[in-house]
Amino acid sequence: MKFLQKLGKSLMLPVACLPICGILMGIGYALCPATMQGGEINGIVQQIGFYLVKAGGALIDNMAILFAIGIGVGMSDDNDGTAGLAALASWLMITNLLSTANVSVIRTLSETTTLAFDKIANPFIGIIAGLIGAMCYNRFKNTQLPDWLSFFSGKRCVAIVAGVVSIIASVVLLFVWPVIFGALVALGKGIVSLDAIGAGIYAFFNRLLIPFGLHHALNNVFWFETIGLGDLTHFWAGETSADVSWSLGMYMSGFFPCMMFGVPGAALAMVHTAKPGKKKVAIGLVTSAAIAAFVCGVTEPFEFGFMFLAPVLYVIYALLYGIFVAVTTLVGFRAGFSFSAGATDLIFSASLPAAQKTWLIIPLGIAAFIVF
């Protein structure tokens, strides 16, 4: 637990960069829906929106790199930037060695393993790289080499050692990563037939797997055409439940009350229960994260803020998602997202044919706020 809590504290610095990015993306998306949905971008307002989305996405899309550097520095004995550099070197090496193009040279890839290595640049690998950088720094920062190699003594050898360790880690992940990813795809296929309960189970695992970046495996099963579902793609194509074999939108709708109202409710609880001397810090951390969750469904700034500090609470948090997604499916609220389940996507998806009973976001949202 001590290790996990130190890891959680190390994530505070990179996490602090994310809320403003989420807010920028939400505002930008509202000004320029074509950024996510496709189509022409015309006029100064849409152009401003486009650049706001791209500005926020610059960090959101590279969150794993921020985690690698933040953990490298935060987990080192004296918070030295050398560990952050070593972590970045580790990240670059692992993600390059395990890229689909490079892996395909040494082994034959199936559809599932191709998908697995396509998603190798994820927060889980960022965390591994950060830990490699920090541990190599802590172990080798004072290493003295022979005179003829003295230039590389001490801190200068840390990144080199981290590179060697990263090669070994890549060899292990070469075999382990596709097995884990494939198992999650199989899990997704197994719960598709469970209707609302299956949607709830999916949402539970979706949140539970975010710390490891493995939620992409499940998302691909339910949101896209991996096994012939494609809840997201069919929804935004203007189809309805009559065009598919399931209730269209059921694997997205339940995230709206959780992200728009549940996360702000949980944030308020954290502020309320913070120690008197820490309330200002808590308000600063969770308020901007709650706004990002409400506006555009960016929840990582909130989730990574506490998942390692209080892992049991995070499991309960994931369970609440599962319950609300199942309930939302049963009551018939349907909305979809092209980015994430925030207010902007709710507004833009409400006019699509598959959208149903969107007014239910009010009672569902109030319930989520109170329960979370």
Side-chain angles (χ1 to χ4, degrees):
M1 184 62 72
K2 214 170 189 181
F3 175 84
L4 286 178
Q5 289 189 338
K6 187 175 182 181
L7 180 63
K9 290 177 182 177
S10 299
L11 282 166
M12 290 297 99
L13 183 60
V15 162
C17 302
L18 299 178
I20 185 60
C21 295
I23 294 169
L24 286 175
M25 293 183 79
I27 296 171
Y29 185 24
L31 296 176
C32 183
T35 307
M36 303 295 179
Q37 300 171 15
E40 294 291 327
I41 298 175
N42 298 311
I44 186 65
V45 172
Q46 290 192 13
Q47 290 171 354
I48 291 172
F50 173 82
Y51 275 99
L52 288 177
V53 170
K54 295 305 177 184
L59 296 188
I60 296 290
D61 295 342
N62 294 291
M63 181 171 57
I65 299 177
L66 298 179
F67 286 177
I69 297 171
I71 290 172
V73 174
M75 295 292 284
S76 63
D77 289 339
D78 48 10
N79 301 131
D80 195 284
T82 305
L85 179 63
L88 178 59
S90 176
W91 160 265
L92 293 172
M93 192 166 289
I94 293 174
T95 54
N96 187 49
L97 289 174
L98 296 181
S99 66
T100 306
N102 290 337
V103 171
S104 64
V105 174
I106 59 175
R107 62 177 292 185
T108 302
L109 298 179
S110 65
E111 184 180 346
T112 301
T113 52
T114 298
L115 187 61
F117 289 113
D118 282 345
K119 301 292 185 182
I120 197 64
N122 61 70
F124 178 57
I125 301 300
I127 291 171
I128 289 178
L131 292 174
I132 288 174
M135 290 175 178
C136 288
Y137 174 82
N138 294 340
R139 175 66 180 82
F140 296 102
K141 63 184 176 182
N142 296 317
T143 299
Q144 294 300 312
L145 299 174
D147 289 344
W148 60 283
L149 288 175
S150 60
F151 177 82
F152 298 103
S153 291
K155 294 179 180 179
R156 288 176 178 167
C157 77
V158 173
I160 298 173
V161 177
V164 175
V165 174
S166 300
I167 293 173
I168 298 171
S170 297
V171 172
V172 174
L173 288 167
L174 178 66
F175 299 99
V176 173
W177 176 252
V179 172
I180 296 173
F181 201 93
L184 292 171
V185 171
L187 171 66
K189 292 178 179 178
I191 62 180
V192 163
S193 61
L194 300 179
D195 200 44
I197 300 300
I201 294 172
Y202 155 65
F204 170 69
F205 280 106
N206 171 280
R207 293 296 101 179
L208 203 62
L209 293 168
I210 279 182
F212 313 106
L214 293 169
H215 58 298
H216 293 298
L218 283 182
N219 292 346
N220 274 278
V221 170
F222 294 97
W223 293 351
F224 306 110
E225 301 281 355
T226 307
I227 64 169
L229 270 178
D231 200 41
L232 188 154
T233 52
H234 286 281
F235 196 101
W236 286 95
E239 299 178 18
T240 67
S241 298
D243 301 308
V244 297
S245 59
W246 68 97
S247 180
L248 193 55
M250 65 185 288
Y251 299 111
M252 298 182 287
S253 305
F255 287 90
F256 283 95
C258 296
M259 291 181 175
M260 290 176 62
F261 297 95
V263 169
L268 181 61
M270 290 182 178
V271 171
H272 179 69
T273 56
K275 295 177 181 178
K278 298 290 186 181
K279 278 196 184 291
K280 287 185 178 179
V281 176
I283 291 170
L285 178 67
V286 302
T287 301
S288 56
I291 293 171
F294 179 84
V295 172
C296 61
V298 174
T299 57
E300 285 86 354
F302 179 74
E303 291 159 343
F304 277 95
F306 80 94
M307 61 174 58
F308 292 108
L309 297 174
V312 175
L313 180 61
Y314 189 77
V315 173
I316 295 171
Y317 171 81
L319 183 61
L320 291 179
Y321 263 83
I323 293 170
F324 267 92
V325 168
V327 170
T328 301
T329 301
L330 290 171
V331 300
F333 168 80
R334 294 291 181 272
F337 47 79
S338 58
F339 175 61
S340 191
T344 48
D345 265 306
L346 177 64
I347 293 168
F348 289 119
S349 71
S351 61
L352 292 170
Q356 301 290 326
K357 300 181 181 178
T358 51
W359 59 269
L360 281 173
I361 190 61
I362 302 302
L364 286 168
I366 293 171
F369 184 89
I370 293 170
V371 172
F372 273 70

